[in-house]
């Protein structure tokens, strides 16, 4: 008795998404993602909170306590973007949106695994800076997100400010868990992992290579090779089709994921997932577009909402295991592009130039 009612309560509470629109074009693109998911299914509840410069202006801090608590109480976070020139000069730097909100969220929520798929859409092959089929890629960067030089101590100035110190630290546990995550991602793809490091110079990279090699022996279903980061940057331009999963540390992953994403033609198309430990049997994650807040075009309806819509689809896949709705949303994005709907960043001759919300409407109509 009464059990039925409890079950219903659990189901309702279990699909809560914290929505953090943020700054610049963030609110516009997030609104389209919420619109598309809500049109596809009524299973998710969305609750908004302030983050980034918008939160700083309203409350004096880029990540208010209520925002962090909302994220902690949700199953997943859908974020737009944070930052912009207006907040670049805030002192101390810990109050700037990038450090005080984005990096703080990654640290506080334990989001150690950043998954950034980069797949060229057929309709947009001409937008790739690499010519012809060369730009047809389908790879995924798995970037360690809470360690390395981004978070190492000490980080300080000495010598009256004339010497600056950042520290790169990695331990075995951090390398193991991101490696296992990369193997998991590879298992749903071509099962090939290239681990990228700078083992000819860095001690952290030598440990990295050691740990990845050990795990590779224990998981023979995944093919693992190693590549130095400078060579990888070059190979991504020379022959990007050779990559399936790129596994790498925080800063190399930051750089290589921008390079990989540009090969698909537009940063405006690429989603990302930042995953942490599971909550119950669900992986917790923060989902956001790879692009930034683009303050120069904010508020004009010119932003491409597809990266955020695809990030919401990743959320349905990874956190909620709802592959069928995710697939419908991904197919709807591709269908809208195939029909010629374009925002300015990917506009081509003979296409239909539309605003952010009109592209959202076109995608809804394809669901
Ligand atoms: C990214 C961004 C961030 C990073 C910045 C905004 C701190 O470039 O998510 O790739 O370097 O991680
Ligand atoms: Mg980056």
């Amino acid at each position: 008795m009464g059990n039925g009612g409890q079950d219903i309560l659990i189901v309702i509470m279990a699909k809560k998404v914290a929505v953090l629109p943020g700054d610049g074009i963030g609110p516009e693109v997030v609104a389209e993602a919420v619109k598309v998911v809500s049109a596809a299914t009524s299973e998710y509840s969305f609750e908004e909170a302030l983050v980034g410069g918008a939160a700083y202006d309203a409350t004096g801090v880029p990540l208010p306590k209520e925002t962090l608590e909302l994220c902690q109480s949700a199953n997943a976070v859908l974020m737009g973007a944070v930052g912009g020139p207006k907040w670049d000069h805030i002192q101390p730097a810990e109050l700037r949106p990038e450090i005080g909100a984005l990096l703080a969220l990654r640290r506080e929520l334990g989001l150690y695994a950043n998954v950034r798929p980069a797949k060229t859409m057929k309709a947009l092959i001409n937008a790739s800076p690499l010519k012809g089929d060369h730009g047809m890629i389908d790879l995924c960067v798995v970037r360690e997100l809470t360690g390395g030089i981004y978070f190492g101590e000490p980080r300080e100035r000495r010598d009256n400010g004339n010497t600056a110190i950042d520290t790169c630290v990695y331990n075995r546990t951090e390398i193991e868990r991101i490696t296992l995550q990369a193997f998991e991602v590879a298992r749903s793809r071509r099962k090939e992992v290239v681990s990228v490091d700078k083992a000819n110079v860095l001690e952290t990279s030598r440990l990295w290579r050691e740990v990845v090699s050990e795990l590779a022996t224990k998981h023979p279903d995944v093919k693992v090779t190693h590549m130095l980061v400078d060579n990888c940057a070059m190979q991504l331009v020379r022959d990007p089709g050779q990559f399936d999963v790129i596994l790498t540390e925080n800063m190399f992953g930051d750089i290589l994921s921008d390079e990989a994403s540009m090969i698909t033609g537009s940063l405006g198309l690429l989603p990302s997932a930042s995953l942490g430990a599971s909550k119950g049997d669900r992986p917790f994650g923060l989902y956001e577009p790879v692009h930034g807040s683009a303050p120069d075009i904010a508020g004009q309806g010119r932003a491409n909402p597809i990266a955020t819509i695809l990030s919401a689809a990743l959320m349905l896949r990874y956190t909620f295991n709802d592959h069928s709705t995710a697939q419908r949303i991904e197919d709807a994005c591709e269908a809208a592009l195939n029909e010629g709907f374009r925002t300015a960043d990917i506009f081509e001759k003979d296409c239909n130039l539309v605003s952010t919300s009109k592209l959202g409407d076109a995608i809804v109509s394809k669901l």
Side-chain angles (χ1 to χ4, degrees):
M1 281 288 288
N3 242 350
Q6 238 170 30
D7 282 347
I8 289 169
L9 189 65
I10 288 166
V11 170
I12 291 170
M13 288 175 48
K15 296 206 171 176
K16 177 164 149 187
V17 178
V19 178
L20 312 183
D23 306 319
I25 58 172
E28 298 162 63
V29 291
V30 163
E32 296 313 305
V34 171
K35 178 164 97 186
V36 170
V37 175
S38 305
T41 165
S42 54
E43 277 179 47
Y44 303 91
S45 73
F46 299 94
E47 204 172 313
E48 262 192 37
L50 288 171
V51 76
Y56 179 85
D57 289 347
T59 70
V61 289
L63 181 62
K65 197 164 138 274
E66 303 76 60
T67 301
L68 183 60
E69 281 168 2
L70 172 68
C71 296
Q72 284 162 337
S73 73
N75 296 102
V77 182
L78 182 64
M79 193 162 99
V82 296
K86 185 176 172 201
W87 304 284
D88 276 349
H89 305 288
I90 295 175
Q91 288 291 352
E94 282 64 41
L95 288 178
R96 283 181 209 150
E98 290 84 351
I99 299 180
L102 188 56
L103 296 194
L105 274 171
R106 289 173 184 170
R107 189 186 56 235
E108 295 299 324
L109 300 173
L111 305 171
Y112 64 85
N114 188 214
V115 180
R116 295 187 165 176
K119 185 174 177 191
T120 316
M121 298 202 185
K122 281 217 182 62
L124 298 177
I125 180 65
N126 293 327
S128 173
L130 300 186
K131 302 268 177 296
D133 282 352
H134 216 76
M136 278 310 287
I137 60 166
D138 181 2
L139 61 79
C140 185
V141 177
V142 177
R143 165 189 177 194
E144 201 291 325
L145 202 58
T146 51
I149 201 160
Y150 272 57
F151 292 95
E153 298 287 344
R155 166 212 298 276
E156 62 193 30
R157 290 290 180 99
R158 291 185 191 162
D159 181 23
N160 290 325
N162 293 310
T163 302
I165 299 177
D166 289 295
T167 307
C168 188
V169 187
Y170 268 111
N171 63 45
R172 176 171 286 273
T173 313
E174 290 170 323
I175 303 169
E176 276 171 0
R177 63 185 183 183
I178 190 68
T179 302
L180 293 173
Q181 181 69 53
F183 288 2
E184 223 21 70
V185 170
R187 286 190 180 103
S188 65
R189 306 172 46 95
R190 305 197 297 277
K191 299 195 178 63
E192 289 175 19
V193 173
V194 176
S195 172
V196 174
D197 61 37
K198 189 70 185 174
N200 53 349
V201 178
L202 302 176
E203 203 51 45
T204 43
S205 280
R206 278 192 280 273
L207 177 64
W208 184 279
R209 203 174 268 223
E210 212 174 286
V211 174
V212 173
S213 302
E214 282 170 27
L215 287 173
T217 328
K218 288 189 195 145
H219 299 266
D221 61 317
V222 181
K223 181 177 163 237
V224 180
T225 53
H226 303 271
M227 195 180 273
L228 295 173
V229 62
D230 47 350
N231 184 27
C232 181
M234 184 267 279
Q235 295 294 341
L236 270 172
V237 176
R238 195 187 71 86
D239 176 21
Q242 71 183 283
F243 294 104
D244 179 24
V245 173
I246 294 177
L247 158 66
T248 191
E249 62 96 65
N250 205 342
M251 189 158 73
F252 297 160
D254 178 43
I255 299 164
L256 294 176
S257 62
D258 265 29
E259 188 185 356
S261 60
M262 195 56 224
I263 296 172
T264 67
S266 170
L267 274 178
L269 298 171
L270 295 178
S272 81
S274 302
L275 306 173
S278 294
K279 273 192 180 175
D281 55 359
R282 283 200 180 126
F284 181 78
L286 179 148
Y287 301 83
E288 59 179 327
V290 166
H291 63 69
S293 62
D296 51 321
I297 59 163
Q300 300 169 29
R302 285 168 63 196
N304 187 340
I306 290 185
T308 314
I309 295 169
L310 292 177
S311 299
L314 274 188
M315 170 178 85
L316 303 192
R317 281 189 192 281
Y318 287 132
T319 292
F320 297 108
N321 206 20
D322 183 355
H323 298 279
S324 69
T325 311
Q327 191 66 51
R328 279 169 60 216
I329 292 175
E330 289 162 1
D331 291 347
C333 288
E334 193 134 17
L337 289 172
N338 285 339
E339 210 157 280
F341 291 101
R342 297 282 191 281
T343 41
D345 56 318
I346 49 173
F347 181 70
E348 290 173 82
K349 203 160 88 21
D350 301 329
C351 284
N352 185 3
L353 181 64
V354 291
S355 68
T356 309
S357 69
K358 283 282 177 309
L359 184 52
D361 292 343
I363 292 167
V364 166
S365 77
K366 300 288 167 202
L367 278 169

